[in-house]
């Protein structure tokens, strides 16, 4: 992404984005309710390491590791309050950065919102909304593909040869929908489905139904064949907080809980570690992107078993851990030479996080 785009985005974000100041909160109690920051302004309550009974001696090793691994923004929320908020390598609380494939979860959430509004049904075929011929597959095979297949990465469309190109000529047949799991950019067709069904542009519908309702800032930027979301680290944390609270922002239901539960649990029987564009920790097996190998065990062995994750290229991360009432955000450049959504960085990072409270 060019510096020009970053500069334009910064101006956009600053119209509603805030500074990195925080508002301390008293020592929490066991019955403390979940906190939601105001939709506007820079107030965001905090908890201290001491309040939580965590180990101050483990903080610096975590920060050192994050900086060493080319991080830019890092936030830990507990029950909605900021415990750690750190920026590295010239990044700030008001600097936008890209979500990469972590933004797939935004599309999954919008699909649920469109369904609860009666605009779509995830069990209906994609061609019901955007017409036939959106692939170059035989019509009978194309008509097997439902919105749910796009959500669960089981469309059956060729995933390696065609890369990220989602023009009809490049969407070719590999297997019948529902019989093969493969990580593929074709999920982005859900944005077309939602735009057609709502009669609005994808961006306008997204802003009205999700972004503005939880005080996020940011914008979708087209990057080649990919539609990529850019925002501040805090905006990413707001989305994580919404998911921690099962789709509700304070007392307002943004995403209904039934769909939330579907999205954050195994969506098919091939890759147990995958929901609706969310990665799931703690399952008995999983697949990596661009791989048909089934690997045994949890995706991130050192991470909590109930954790669900938005993972993007170059180690963009949203980790949501219901059992710990915790959200962890990491933005930055690739930690290592491996630039896929999953890398060894995740496991070491969680060892460092675990050291805070174990």
């Amino acid at each position: 992404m060019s510096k020009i785009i970053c500069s334009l985005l910064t101006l956009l974000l600053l119209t509603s984005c805030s500074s990195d100041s925080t508002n301390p909160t008293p020592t929490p109690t066991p019955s403390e309710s979940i906190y939601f920051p105001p939709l506007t302004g820079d107030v965001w309550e905090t908890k201290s390491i001491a309040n939580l009974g965590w180990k101050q001696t483990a903080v610096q090793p975590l920060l050192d590791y994050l900086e060493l691994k080319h991080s830019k923004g890092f936030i830990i929320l507990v029950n909605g309050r900021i415990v750690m908020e750190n920026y590295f390598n010239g990044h700030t609380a008001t600097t936008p950065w890209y979500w990469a494939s972590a933004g797939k979860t935004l599309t999954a959430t919008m699909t649920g919102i469109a369904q609860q509004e009666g605009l779509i049904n995830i069990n209906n075929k994609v061609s019901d909304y955007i017409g036939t011929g959106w692939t170059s597959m035989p019509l009978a095979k194309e008509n097997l593909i439902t919105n749910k297949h796009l959500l669960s990465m089981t469309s059956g469309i060729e995933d390696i040869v065609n890369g990220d190109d989602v023009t009809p000529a490049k969407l070719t047949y590999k297997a019948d929908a529902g019989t093969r799991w493969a990580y593929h950019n074709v999920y982005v067709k859900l944005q077309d489905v939602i735009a057609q069904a709502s009669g609005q542009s994808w961006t306008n519908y997204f802003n009205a139904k999700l972004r503005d309702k939880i005080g996020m800032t940011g914008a979708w930027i087209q990057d080649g064949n990919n539609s990529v979301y850019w925002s501040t680290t805090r905006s990413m944390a707001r989305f994580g907080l919404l998911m921690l609270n099962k789709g509700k922002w304070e007392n307002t239901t943004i995403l209904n809980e039934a769909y939330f539960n579907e999205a954050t649990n195994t969506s098919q029987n091939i890759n147990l570690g995958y929901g609706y564009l969310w990665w799931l920790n703690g399952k008995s097996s999983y697949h990596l992107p661009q791989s048909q190998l089934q690997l045994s065990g949890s995706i991130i062995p050192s991470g909590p078993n109930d954790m669900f994750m938005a993972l993007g290229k170059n180690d963009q991360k949203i980790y949501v851990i219901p059992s710990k009432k915790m959200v962890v955000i990491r933005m930055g450049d690739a930690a290592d030479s491996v630039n896929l959504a999953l890398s060894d960085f995740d496991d070491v990072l969680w060892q460092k996080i675990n050291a805070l409270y174990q």
Side-chain angles (χ1 to χ4, degrees), residues 18-301:
S18 61
S19 72
D20 61 347
S21 63
T22 53
N23 182 32
T25 190
T27 301
T29 64
S31 61
E32 183 181 57
S33 62
I34 190 169
Y35 166 80
F36 296 88
L39 296 183
T40 59
D42 62 359
V43 173
W44 197 317
E45 289 186 2
T46 66
K47 284 184 179 179
S48 71
I49 295 290
N51 285 159
L52 288 167
W54 289 7
K55 300 173 184 174
Q56 187 66 47
T57 55
V59 171
Q60 196 58 49
L62 171 59
L63 295 178
D64 291 344
Y65 181 72
L66 287 163
E67 186 164 23
L68 176 68
K69 293 298 184 176
H70 317 297
S71 301
K72 290 184 177 292
F74 181 77
I75 290 176
I76 294 180
L77 304 180
V78 173
N79 230 2
R81 294 166 179 85
I82 293 174
V83 178
M84 294 181 65
E85 181 177 23
N86 303 91
Y87 299 97
F88 312 88
N89 301 308
H91 205 74
T92 72
T94 58
T95 311
W97 194 250
Y98 59 88
W99 291 38
S101 286
K104 286 180 170 66
T105 57
L106 294 173
T107 298
T109 301
M110 292 305 302
T111 303
I113 291 171
Q115 177 169 262
Q116 72 196 32
E117 292 195 331
L119 299 177
I120 68 170
N121 186 317
I122 66 170
N123 294 307
N124 290 350
K125 59 183 183 289
V126 176
S127 56
D128 284 348
Y129 304 94
I130 61 175
T132 58
W134 64 276
T135 74
S136 60
M137 299 164 65
L139 183 59
K141 299 300 185 183
E142 180 182 283
N143 280 336
L144 295 175
I145 304 173
T146 66
N147 296 317
K148 187 173 180 179
H149 289 130
L150 297 186
L151 286 168
S152 58
M153 294 289 183
T154 56
S155 67
I157 289 172
E158 169 62 52
D159 57 297
I160 300 297
V161 174
N162 296 333
D164 285 341
D165 194 334
V166 294
T167 57
K170 295 296 184 180
L171 298 180
T172 58
Y173 178 82
K174 181 73 174 183
D176 282 2
T179 66
R180 182 175 185 269
W181 186 90
Y183 196 75
H184 194 287
N185 194 44
V186 72
Y187 87 93
V188 77
K189 285 295 180 181
L190 288 166
Q191 297 180 6
D192 296 337
V193 167
I194 292 166
Q196 287 293 325
S198 67
Q200 302 179 45
S201 70
W202 161 254
T203 295
N204 287 347
Y205 190 72
F206 170 82
N207 291 349
K209 300 298 181 178
L210 179 57
R211 188 193 73 168
D212 297 346
K213 286 192 173 183
I214 66 172
M216 288 175 64
T217 59
W220 291 93
I221 300 294
Q222 198 65 30
D223 178 24
N225 295 307
N226 296 300
S227 180
V228 180
Y229 199 68
W230 284 70
S231 83
T232 63
T233 312
R234 278 195 174 193
S235 282
M236 188 181 258
R238 283 177 178 268
F239 178 63
L241 178 57
L242 175 70
M243 294 297 104
L244 178 67
N245 203 41
K246 300 181 178 181
K248 290 183 71 175
W249 189 265
E250 295 187 295
N251 296 318
T252 302
T253 297
I254 308 299
L255 178 70
N256 70 59
E257 190 171 339
Y259 180 89
F260 164 84
N261 288 333
E262 288 182 33
T264 55
N265 282 283
T266 301
S267 59
Q268 28 62 51
N269 61 9
I270 305 168
N271 182 359
L272 303 184
Y274 207 72
Y276 293 167
L277 306 179
W278 286 95
W279 292 92
L280 314 174
N281 211 42
K283 304 303 178 182
S284 59
S285 63
Y286 65 96
H287 288 236
L288 290 172
Q290 276 72 57
S291 173
Q292 292 300 303
L293 293 176
Q294 180 172 292
L295 302 174
S296 296
S298 186
I299 294 173
I300 304 175

